Amino acid sequence: MQPASPILIPSLDHLILLVNDPLTSSKPQTPSPLERSILTFSELGFQVVRGGTHADGLTSNALIIFPDGVYIELIQFEPAPASATENQHDFEARRKKHWWYNSRPGWIDWCLLDGISDGIIESVNENARRLRESALRELELQTSNGGDGEDKETKIVAPRLQYDAPVEGGRITTAGDHIKWKVTFPTPPNTSISSLPIGNTRSHVPFWCADLTPRQLRVPPTYAHHSNRSPGIAELTLLYSKDTVTSYLDVSLALNQPIEPNTLPITSDFQLVPNEIPHRLLYSPLSGEKPITDASVDITTASHHTSTKNRGIRVVVKVAEDPEDQKWIKHHGQGLYEVAIYVAADKLPPTAPPDGIEQTTFDAGLGRIRLSPILH
């Protein structure tokens, strides 16, 4: 038997934390939601740098940059146009077309680095296509053997994932620098190819960002030092309430760690078995892309309370079983649910118990954050 071909594990580029509600963002607030979030994270020991306004003028941001090269983007929808050439009505009409307009405050999206020059996106799309073709062949076989393609005996599991062509974006920094990039988004839902549904809602799977200008302009490393001595991200948790097998397939494919459906712990109604779901892995930009030979196994096992050297970022898929999780999904949607961030053990604030959610940010509507203590 030939050994599995090495694959590249992508790097996490950044996480997006929405700090105001787009539906009510036209009402000016003093201080602004972005300024309030900057203060909140600063009081937790993070250095926050103001980023600037995006090219479309609809949003502005601030960044929490970590030594490993990953950053958190605090983003707010602007209340009014910056230019006198655009009226408020037209500005709000453009805002309603923004891909995050229907998002609520908290974690709304996550982004991987590049994917174009390293060929990962092409590999992801090819792996997804291969699994869909295999699923179609299985469906045809079952149907020819007397099934109708609808009951449990003939149900198939096929990924929905597909990435579209990249599009250019950019913003102007507070220093006046024009920075540019290409972003690659997942194909939106309700597309079909060969009778199988294709497409994902934003945040269910990551998008990609490839820099056209030096990355250090977008992510200035001089700000990657924090008084709480945080080295970076420990873990991401994704939450799904339905079609969990397909969701897990899509996430595994997006992270370039494809897995065959028949290797997963699946219930009789084609859902993942909670607490038996293998986690996935990401690296940080400064750790580089690392080859592995078998992405179907549990690829990280070390404790989060020890050294972070040479560790990957765990990506955990959680099935929403209890009413609180279901309530969360109803309000925030499925996908990125919780982020664990390393901090020095002696800098852990009283609002962040080692086994619980950081309360200050949660009460402020800034998502579910765990501060994971480490020993330096």
Side-chain angles (χ1 to χ4, degrees):
M1 180 178 178
Q2 292 291 328
S5 299
I7 63 173
L8 291 177
I9 295 179
S11 294
L12 179 63
D13 186 77
H14 68 281
L15 306 168
I16 300 175
L17 185 60
L18 180 62
V19 302
N20 67 341
D21 192 329
L23 300 180
T24 59
S25 58
S26 290
K27 183 178 180 180
Q29 300 181 46
T30 305
S32 71
L34 186 60
E35 290 300 321
R36 290 200 303 271
S37 67
I38 290 173
L39 178 61
T40 297
F41 280 98
S42 297
E43 290 176 342
L44 291 174
F46 295 101
Q47 181 176 195
V48 188
V49 56
R50 290 166 179 81
T53 302
H54 288 98
D56 59 11
L58 294 173
T59 54
S60 60
N61 69 5
L63 312 180
I64 302 173
I65 302 168
F66 295 100
D68 63 5
V70 178
Y71 68 94
I72 293 173
E73 179 181 12
L74 309 176
I75 189 169
Q76 77 169 9
F77 277 84
E78 292 297 298
S83 172
T85 61
E86 183 177 27
N87 61 48
Q88 185 70 20
H89 178 271
D90 291 344
F91 180 77
E92 292 180 2
R94 285 201 302 119
R95 181 197 293 149
K96 290 179 180 178
K97 297 178 181 178
H98 196 283
W99 49 79
W100 289 321
Y101 178 73
N102 292 312
S103 300
R104 302 285 73 80
W107 300 111
I108 59 170
D109 221 333
W110 49 310
C111 178
L112 307 183
L113 180 61
D114 196 354
I116 298 175
S117 67
D118 51 24
I120 294 182
I121 295 173
E122 182 179 358
S123 173
V124 166
N125 280 341
E126 174 59 26
N127 283 326
R129 183 194 61 78
R130 174 182 59 81
L131 286 176
R132 279 192 291 272
E133 289 182 351
S134 176
L136 276 174
R137 288 194 297 270
E138 177 66 19
L139 180 61
E140 291 169 357
L141 177 62
Q142 293 178 4
T143 302
S144 67
N145 289 336
D148 61 6
E150 297 294 335
D151 58 28
K152 290 183 179 180
E153 285 69 30
T154 60
K155 184 171 182 178
I156 61 169
V157 177
R160 295 170 298 222
L161 183 66
Q162 178 175 281
Y163 282 104
D164 289 337
V167 295
E168 288 196 17
R171 64 176 167 86
I172 302 174
T173 70
T174 54
D177 293 317
H178 291 255
I179 56 178
K180 297 181 179 180
W181 55 73
K182 282 187 176 181
V183 285
T184 304
F185 297 121
T187 299
N190 303 319
T191 306
S192 63
I193 298 176
S194 302
S195 77
L196 291 178
I198 301 292
N200 293 91
T201 301
R202 291 290 300 270
S203 94
H204 286 199
V205 294
F207 69 100
W208 300 76
C209 182
D211 290 288
L212 299 178
T213 49
R215 188 175 189 266
Q216 64 185 21
L217 292 178
R218 180 168 63 93
V219 193
T222 52
Y223 297 99
H225 304 283
H226 308 283
S227 62
N228 61 20
R229 303 200 299 278
S230 174
I233 304 298
E235 183 175 281
L236 309 180
T237 300
L238 312 175
L239 182 66
Y240 301 100
S241 65
K242 56 185 179 180
D243 297 329
T244 54
V245 175
T246 303
S247 297
Y248 184 76
L249 283 177
D250 287 340
V251 169
S252 295
L253 284 164
L255 303 188
N256 205 31
Q257 297 160 51
I259 188 168
E260 297 295 333
N262 59 8
T263 66
L264 292 174
I266 301 176
T267 64
S268 59
D269 59 347
F270 280 77
Q271 299 297 315
L272 288 175
V273 178
N275 304 319
E276 295 185 20
I277 308 169
H279 64 260
R280 303 288 84 193
L281 184 68
L282 284 170
Y283 283 103
S284 60
L286 298 186
S287 65
E289 295 153 343
K290 307 293 180 64
I292 62 172
T293 57
D294 186 359
S296 66
V297 298
D298 194 7
I299 45 186
T300 57
T301 56
S303 168
H304 286 311
H305 301 276
T306 56
S307 171
T308 62
K309 186 177 181 181
N310 297 325
R311 287 185 49 83
I313 300 168
R314 287 168 34 123
V315 180
V316 176
V317 172
K318 180 181 179 182
V319 177
E321 296 181 280
D322 59 62
E324 285 301 311
D325 286 344
Q326 293 288 350
K327 181 180 178 181
W328 182 273
I329 284 178
K330 184 176 181 180
H331 187 69
H332 295 275
Q334 301 182 90
L336 187 56
Y337 170 66
E338 186 175 291
V339 175
I341 307 171
Y342 289 121
V343 298
D346 61 344
K347 296 294 184 178
L348 195 69
T351 57
D355 58 349
I357 298 299
E358 199 291 309
Q359 202 61 43
T360 305
T361 48
F362 186 77
D363 291 344
L366 298 176
R368 295 176 60 92
I369 296 172
R370 291 181 184 268
L371 299 183
S372 298
I374 54 170
L375 301 175
H376 283 263

